[in-house]
Amino acid sequence: MQTLVEYLRNHVPLTREIDIRAGSQTDHWLELTAPLHPNLNDKQTAFGGSLATLCTLSGWCVCSMLCRELKQEIDIAVIDSQIRYHQPVTGDPITARACFPAIENQQRFIEMLRKEGRARLNLKAKVNVGDTTAVSFEASYYARLPDKHLG
Amino acid sequence: MQTLVEYLRNHVPLTREIDIRAGSQTDHWLELTAPLHPNLNDKQTAFGGSLATLCTLSGWCVCSMLCRELKQEIDIAVIDSQIRYHQPVTGDPITARACFPAIENQQRFIEMLRKEGRARLNLKAKVNVGDTTAVSFEASYYARLPDKHLG
């Protein structure tokens, strides 16, 4: 997870401005965090653009971690996403939690990627304020072996 | 439009890092732009987080411009959005174009805001690469008179 965050900070300048950091992780989810201050909006709560970005990246991290099983370079991109802002986010740090998909979906994804060189993965993430979901997020990611590996 | 961009740059720090600028405007749409360089991803195309943010803010600008008719302070927030990334964005500057809603929807929105002190507006935006839509975006915004004005 730390390696992924370093990769993002080194290759995507805006992630340094948002100041993303690796958070907690279990077998079921991982968290990506960012301090509130550089991500404030005009109402002194978390900026929607930062929330959307943090959720998108947390899903990207889940997808990247699954792809490690193939032990080779994989291109991952988000295809589409839906986000719902239920209430203002005031917690510091802002914490986006992305869930690993069910084991059978993980296996199907990896198998497809291995067989076809490309696969799609649907993921969910959220940002809580206390025990309440303040932001809910769903996205599809596309993973593929880089062009040079495709026959 | 320039005033709105200055407001955002002064009150939302991340908009300065994305380096948002006022673009063109007609009766039907307005454009918000950002230079590609600070918004690159690891594939040297526009970062999804920047694209989502730029689209969200272009809609916020449309909503803000409509609210000017009330000649008083209005709080505007995005409630939910959907974004689809059809192809990588390579243009510089990145340009998000948000459409003004049909006149009857504009009128309904303003009338509701005047009468109820709050109203919802659905908007669309996109980012083109040449003549092709590279990113399509839809969102709902919530506008309301600040609490102190509500009876």
Side-chain angles (χ1 to χ4, degrees), chain A residues 7 42 76 79 81 83 85, chain B residues 7 42-43 79 81 83 85:
Chain A
Y7 176 85
D42 56 334
I76 299 169
I79 306 173
S81 67
I83 189 164
Y85 305 89
Chain B
Y7 175 86
D42 57 334
K43 298 168 194 73
I79 307 173
S81 67
I83 189 165
Y85 306 89

Side-chain angles (χ1 to χ4, degrees), chain B residues 1-145:
Chain B
M1 178 70 179
Q2 189 59 45
T3 320
L4 287 174
V5 168
E6 274 164 28
Y7 175 86
L8 288 168
R9 292 182 70 106
N10 287 334
H11 292 83
V12 185
L14 200 69
T15 62
R16 292 195 296 274
E17 307 303 340
I18 291 174
D19 199 2
I20 62 163
R21 320 265 179 106
S24 308
Q25 196 189 324
T26 70
D27 290 345
H28 300 292
W29 47 259
L30 61 77
E31 288 180 345
L32 201 64
T33 76
L36 184 59
H37 192 259
N39 296 296
L40 284 172
N41 63 14
D42 57 334
K43 298 168 194 73
Q44 301 298 304
T45 64
F47 175 45
S50 299
L51 292 167
T53 303
L54 208 59
C55 286
T56 307
L57 291 174
S58 68
W60 183 92
C61 286
V62 164
C63 197
S64 297
M65 295 192 80
L66 296 182
C67 287
R68 282 183 180 171
E69 199 170 316
L70 274 84
K71 294 188 176 34
Q72 68 176 101
E73 192 191 342
I74 309 283
D75 283 339
I76 299 167
V78 61
I79 307 173
D80 56 57
S81 67
Q82 293 174 50
I83 189 165
R84 185 170 287 270
Y85 306 89
H86 305 282
Q87 63 174 69
V89 172
T90 47
D92 192 3
I94 307 163
T95 303
R97 177 181 292 187
C99 296
F100 285 90
I103 294 290
E104 58 270 26
N105 294 344
Q106 294 186 26
Q107 287 168 342
R108 196 181 310 134
F109 170 69
I110 292 299
E111 197 180 324
M112 177 70 94
L113 191 51
R114 202 167 259 147
K115 215 162 105 183
E116 305 286 344
R118 58 192 73 202
R120 189 179 168 132
L121 188 67
N122 298 323
L123 294 173
K124 288 186 183 186
K126 63 177 183 169
V127 177
N128 270 20
V129 170
D131 290 336
T132 310
T133 301
V135 175
S136 49
F137 173 89
E138 286 188 51
S140 299
Y141 296 82
Y142 181 66
R144 64 168 195 178
L145 308 190

